[in-house]
């Protein structure tokens, strides 16, 4: 295990580990300036009366008559949120006015802290600002009342809602977008500017910790520093210069490091890819509004590629995408009332900004992003999605008229969060037939972390009851898998094929080849060098009824036939679980195929 930890440390980067160690040490002993912060939020209304023209764009009505958390948990709007109460567990944070740095990262008494943070991400302010711009004067009083209450119950740097720099950053971005909608960027109230400044003071001293994570924390916090700093400067506060400069440098740095040439992001996750892309989209909208200098050509090339990546993964009819990797329930900039799992608004916005093209030419609610941000919808369309290999991130997408298939293979430059090597996500006529389990929660108990982050939550093979990679901590896996076989993506007129393979730390070998044609998917899994058993799992959509017969698995959607060149010990339907939304869990059927000796299992899906 010591060897595994050393190898993992090297993979994470010694500089990043040093940054984390120094951050924790400096905060603990009081060296970090964040321990000495003090500020005051000025009195007065945060948002001023709306003086723009009344608009008639379609609003996001999700917050009009109810409180909405994680885009599916609703509560009556008879009162404003309790900023210290978890929407997930209903429990209250203990000592809500404790210094943020003395609050533990995880508290079993309140459960998942994200349940407390959710209301303080200020998603609701986007909906309120839309109501104001559409002529609802009562919404202005309401939004100021909510902000007064938040400041009263969350004085600067006290309590759980000041604990995370990224959470503070999301508030800054949403406040900025509300100010844009209400035409109050250049004539911002002193109260709102003081609130923004208080947040930048919190974010800046700990930004290197965010950078050390090599994930969305760094991109979100860089975006907030750039937006917030330039906002202060445009309103005459030159303290913002240093934060704007710091944010600009880190936005360039994070794009260079975390966005690969093929558009893959350093977090192997569709929802975190969306968080990153939405952050950069808000930054670009803000930059254009303020007439600030363009970013580097290199950065725009990376963002162009990142937009193409999400465009490729998103299903055009539903807007859904594979539930790939960690999923924390985040959706930034909710200008539309679309579902959380609809990625099209983000794709349409990013393609307009970084491609000067329309991802979706037909009119749809995803166009509301453009309307509310005063952007034109381009007439030129993005190229049709084709089968593509993303070798930097470790994904291959196969596409034909009826189907979409995602094939994950291990190509880890950054830390993986789930044991999903050689996972296949299969979509037929827009339905997610073979599906990923998701995440559920970061702090609901070890059994959830093990299940959703483990191999059982994916459409791949498990050897001898062990995981593909050992879990070293809540967010860290060791012995990162390495690819030792890759068959080039082969696109022919009749079919398309791809293959990849790996050998794990125990010597177990898995080689998977897939072939997709108009009416059939064939997956061949060659398995060897395991001791007792290998189990292949296909996690099935709950939207159809599945029947297991001697001939295989049948439904009105498709038929699945399993064959093998060695004896199959067991083939059965069992109960599994999935989480499509954060902290939501549903049962699904899972087909398990077990063998006891080296062999090749062939799965044929006919449709």
């Amino acid at each position: 295990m010591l060897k595994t930890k050393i190898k993992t440390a090297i993979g994470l980067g010694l500089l990043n580990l040093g940054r984390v160690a120094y951050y924790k040490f400096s905060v603990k002993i009081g060296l970090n300036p964040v321990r000495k912060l003090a500020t005051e939020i000025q009195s007065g209304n945060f948002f001023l009366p709306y003086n723009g023209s009344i608009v008639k764009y379609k609003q996001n009505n999700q917050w009009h008559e109810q409180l909405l958390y994680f885009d599916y948990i609703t509560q009556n709007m008879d009162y404003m949120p309790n900023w210290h109460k978890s929407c997930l567990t209903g429990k209250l944070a203990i000592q809500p006015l404790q210094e943020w740095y003395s609050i533990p990262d995880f508290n079993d008494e309140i459960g998942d802290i994200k349940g407390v943070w959710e209301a303080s991400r200020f998603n609701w302010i986007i909906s309120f600002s839309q109501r104001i711009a559409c002529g609802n004067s009562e919404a202005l009083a309401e939004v100021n009342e909510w902000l007064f209450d938040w400041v009263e119950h969350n004085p600067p740097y006290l309590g759980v809602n000041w604990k995370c720099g990224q959470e503070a950053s999301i508030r800054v971005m949403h406040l900025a977008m509300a100010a844009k909608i209400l035409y109050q960027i250049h004539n911002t109230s002193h109260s709102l500017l003081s609130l923004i400044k208080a947040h930048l003071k919190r974010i800046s001293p700990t930004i290197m910790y965010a950078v050390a994570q090599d994930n969305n924390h760094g991109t979100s916090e860089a975006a907030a520093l750039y937006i917030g700093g330039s906002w202060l400067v445009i309103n005459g506060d030159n303290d913002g210069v240093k934060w704007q400069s710091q944010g600009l440098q880190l936005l360039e740095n994070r794009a260079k490091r975390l966005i690969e040439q093929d558009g893959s992001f350093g977090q192997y996750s569709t929802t975190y890819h969306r968080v990153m892309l939405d952050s950069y989209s808000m930054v670009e909208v803000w930059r254009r509004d303020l007439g600030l200098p363009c970013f580097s050509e290199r950065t725009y090339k990376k963002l162009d590629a990142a937009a193409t990546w999400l465009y490729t993964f998103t299903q055009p009819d539903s807007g859904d995408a594979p539930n790939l990797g960690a999923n924390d329930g985040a959706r930034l900039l909710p200008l539309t009332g679309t579902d959380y799992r609809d990625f099209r608004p983000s794709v349409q916005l990013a393609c307009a900004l970084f491609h000067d093209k329309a991802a979706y030419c037909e009119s749809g609610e995803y166009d509301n992003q453009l309307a509310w941000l005063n952007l034109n919808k381009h007439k030129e369309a993005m190229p049709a999605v084709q089968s593509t290999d993303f070798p930097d991130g470790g994904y291959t997408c196969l596409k034909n008229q009826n189907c979409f298939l995602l094939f994950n293979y291990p190509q880890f430059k950054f830390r993986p969060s789930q044991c999903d090597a050689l996972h296949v996500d299969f979509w037929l006529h827009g339905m997610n037939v073979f599906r990923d389990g998701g995440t559920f929660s970061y702090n609901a108990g070890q059994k959830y972390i093990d299940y959703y982050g483990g191999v059982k939550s994916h459409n791949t093979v498990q050897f001898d009851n062990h995981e593909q990679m050992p879990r070293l901590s809540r967010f860290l896996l060791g012995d990162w898998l390495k690819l030792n076989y890759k068959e080039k993506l082969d696109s022919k007129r009749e079919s398309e094929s791809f293959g990849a393979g790996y050998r794990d730390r125990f010597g177990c070998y898995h080689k998977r080849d897939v072939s997709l044609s108009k009416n059939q998917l064939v997956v061949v899994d060659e398995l060897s060098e395991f001791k007792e058993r290998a189990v292949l799992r296909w996690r099935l959509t709950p939207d159809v009824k599945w029947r297991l017969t001697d001939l295989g698995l049948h439904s009105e959607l498709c038929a699945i036939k399993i064959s093998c060149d060695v004896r199959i010990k067991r083939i059965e339907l069992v109960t599994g679980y999935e989480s499509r939304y954060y902290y939501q869990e549903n049962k699904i059927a899972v087909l398990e195929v077990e063998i006891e000796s080296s062999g090749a299992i062939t799965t044929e899906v006919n449709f």
Side-chain angles (χ1 to χ4, degrees):
M1 184 59 73
L2 177 60
K3 182 179 179 181
T4 295
K5 290 181 178 179
I6 292 173
K7 286 168 55 181
T8 306
I10 294 172
L12 293 171
L14 298 180
L15 177 59
N16 282 340
L17 292 175
R19 285 170 172 160
V20 171
Y22 177 76
Y23 159 78
K24 292 183 175 181
F25 177 74
S26 65
V27 170
K28 183 176 182 179
I29 67 172
L31 282 177
N32 193 299
V34 78
R35 288 281 298 265
K36 303 178 179 66
L37 291 180
T39 195
E40 183 177 344
I41 310 300
Q42 293 189 28
S43 60
N45 286 332
F46 293 94
F47 285 94
L48 305 173
Y50 178 64
N51 291 321
S53 301
I54 301 301
V55 299
K56 296 182 179 180
Y57 306 138
K58 187 174 182 179
Q59 305 170 46
N60 177 358
N61 294 320
Q62 293 173 328
W63 279 88
H64 284 203
E65 297 179 355
Q66 60 189 9
L67 305 177
L68 180 68
Y69 302 121
F70 294 107
D71 280 80
Y72 77 95
I73 300 173
T74 58
Q75 296 178 8
N76 292 330
M77 197 181 276
D78 298 332
Y79 47 85
M80 66 186 66
N82 182 329
W83 309 108
H84 298 130
K85 184 178 181 180
S86 172
C87 65
L88 301 176
T89 65
K91 297 181 179 180
L92 289 169
I94 300 173
Q95 295 181 312
L97 299 184
Q98 184 178 356
E99 290 88 352
W100 72 263
Y101 49 81
S102 63
I103 299 172
D105 290 339
F106 299 98
N107 187 319
D108 291 336
E109 294 186 21
I110 64 170
D112 196 322
I113 197 171
K114 289 178 63 60
V116 179
W117 286 345
E118 177 68 6
S120 292
R121 286 188 160 188
F122 288 7
N123 293 44
W124 47 267
I125 207 166
I126 301 297
S127 177
F128 284 17
S129 63
Q130 289 177 323
R131 290 163 59 189
I132 296 168
C134 289
N136 187 332
S137 58
E138 294 180 359
L140 177 63
E142 194 171 10
V143 76
N144 280 317
E145 183 182 1
W146 281 39
L147 288 172
F148 290 146
D149 193 72
W150 190 89
V151 170
E152 179 182 354
H153 290 92
N154 296 276
Y157 320 129
L158 299 178
V160 293
N161 289 317
W162 287 100
K163 180 168 178 56
C164 178
Q166 178 177 232
E167 298 301 313
S169 299
I170 292 173
R171 287 196 289 274
V172 169
M173 287 187 276
H174 283 153
L175 287 165
M177 292 300 104
K180 172 178 171 52
I181 291 170
L182 299 175
Y183 293 96
Q184 295 183 24
I185 295 176
H186 293 83
N187 58 337
T188 313
S189 72
H190 294 300
S191 298
L192 183 52
L193 289 174
S194 67
L195 181 60
I196 294 299
K197 193 169 185 176
H199 279 75
L200 302 187
K201 286 183 176 180
R202 162 65 186 88
I203 297 165
S204 180
T206 60
I207 187 69
M208 283 301 105
Y209 175 74
V211 168
Q213 306 305 306
D214 272 343
N215 62 15
N216 62 294
H217 283 243
T219 57
S220 299
E221 295 184 32
L225 289 170
Y226 177 83
I227 290 173
S230 57
W231 196 356
L232 294 177
V233 172
I234 208 73
N235 282 276
D237 187 341
N238 288 328
D239 282 350
V241 172
K242 59 187 176 184
W243 291 315
Q244 179 184 347
S245 177
Q246 185 182 31
L248 173 60
Q249 185 268 326
L250 288 171
L251 285 167
E252 294 273 3
N253 173 275
R254 294 294 83 192
K256 178 182 179 182
R257 175 163 174 78
L258 297 180
I259 304 175
E260 302 285 5
Q261 295 296 325
D262 66 7
S264 302
F265 182 47
Q267 278 177 288
Y268 308 109
S269 158
T270 44
T271 53
Y272 276 128
H273 191 107
R274 177 172 63 178
V275 167
M276 174 275 295
L277 196 56
D278 281 342
S279 298
Y280 275 99
S281 291
M282 283 188 276
V283 164
E284 177 64 9
V285 167
W286 187 265
R287 184 201 66 76
R288 294 184 185 188
D289 271 11
L290 269 61
L292 300 173
C294 294
F295 299 108
S296 67
E297 182 180 354
R298 178 192 65 204
T299 292
Y300 283 121
K301 285 183 177 179
K302 291 292 189 76
L303 295 171
D304 179 301
T308 300
W309 189 98
L310 193 58
Y311 169 66
T312 302
F313 279 54
T314 299
Q315 307 306 301
D317 293 334
S318 66
D320 203 353
N323 200 10
L324 170 72
N327 179 355
D328 78 336
R331 181 170 75 122
L332 306 188
L333 193 59
L335 287 163
T336 69
T338 50
D339 187 79
Y340 166 77
R341 295 208 58 85
D342 189 344
F343 290 75
R344 289 174 297 182
S346 297
V347 173
Q348 187 78 313
L349 175 59
C351 288
L353 290 170
F354 305 123
H355 281 279
D356 293 328
K357 295 178 182 177
Y360 313 106
C361 292
E362 293 184 5
S363 297
E365 195 168 353
Y366 40 73
D367 292 328
N368 288 359
Q369 304 277 82
L370 306 180
W372 280 104
L373 297 174
N374 299 319
L375 297 171
N376 294 322
K377 182 173 180 177
H378 294 279
K379 294 182 180 180
E380 185 178 358
M382 289 284 290
V385 173
Q386 297 181 342
S387 296
T388 308
D389 183 28
F390 297 90
D392 298 323
Y395 318 101
T396 293
C397 296
L398 303 184
K399 179 77 168 66
N400 65 27
Q401 185 178 356
N402 298 318
C403 310
F404 173 86
L405 183 144
L406 168 65
F407 188 134
N408 297 3
Y409 56 91
Q411 194 74 14
F412 301 130
K413 180 179 177 181
F414 301 95
R415 54 177 167 156
S417 64
Q418 297 191 346
C419 292
D420 59 359
L422 306 194
H423 166 85
V424 162
D425 226 76
F426 177 56
W427 299 66
L428 176 60
H429 303 304
M431 183 178 291
N432 193 184
V433 181
F434 295 159
R435 46 216 282 145
D436 193 305
T439 297
F440 183 67
S441 170
Y442 290 154
N443 190 33
Q446 192 63 41
K447 71 173 184 178
Y448 292 104
I449 294 173
D450 291 341
Y451 179 78
Y452 284 101
V455 68
K456 289 183 179 180
S457 194
H458 301 96
N459 299 313
T460 186
V461 172
Q462 182 173 21
F463 295 111
D464 297 326
N465 290 324
H466 67 250
E467 294 292 350
Q468 293 177 336
M469 295 171 281
R471 183 162 296 280
L472 303 182
S473 67
R474 188 184 306 267
F475 298 115
L476 187 60
L477 298 172
D479 283 324
W480 300 353
L481 295 175
K482 293 183 179 180
L483 195 69
N484 69 357
Y485 161 77
K486 181 179 178 181
E487 184 70 26
K488 183 180 178 181
L489 171 62
D490 186 9
S491 295
K492 299 177 181 177
R493 185 174 181 179
E494 298 81 12
S495 65
E496 296 170 310
S497 60
F498 179 79
Y502 72 87
R503 189 178 300 278
D504 71 14
R505 66 192 187 281
F506 296 105
C508 303
Y509 184 65
H510 183 190
K511 174 176 174 283
R512 167 168 279 184
D513 290 287
V514 300
S515 176
L516 180 66
S517 62
K518 182 179 179 180
N519 300 112
Q520 186 183 60
L521 166 66
V522 178
V523 182
V524 179
D525 292 296
E526 296 183 24
L527 314 173
S528 62
E529 308 303 322
F530 54 93
K531 293 181 179 179
E532 296 180 358
R533 67 174 189 160
V535 178
L536 167 66
R537 293 185 178 89
W538 294 115
R539 301 169 50 82
L540 305 167
T541 177
D543 296 327
V544 298
K545 292 183 178 180
W546 298 97
R547 293 179 293 107
L548 186 61
T549 70
D550 293 339
L551 299 177
L553 199 61
H554 293 268
S555 75
E556 59 185 16
L557 182 66
C558 62
I560 302 173
K561 179 183 177 182
I562 304 293
S563 60
C564 188
D565 61 1
V566 296
R567 187 181 75 89
I568 296 177
K569 178 185 179 183
R570 177 176 63 92
I571 178 169
E572 64 177 326
L573 278 175
V574 301
T575 298
Y577 300 89
E578 70 173 1
S579 179
R580 308 287 277 181
Y581 302 81
Y582 196 73
Y583 222 80
Q584 182 199 63
E585 186 175 56
N586 297 309
K587 292 182 179 180
I588 63 169
V590 180
L591 179 65
E592 291 191 346
V593 183
E594 181 179 345
I595 60 175
E596 295 178 299
S597 59
S598 297
I601 302 175
T602 299
T603 303
E604 295 181 18
V605 184
N606 296 293
F607 39 88

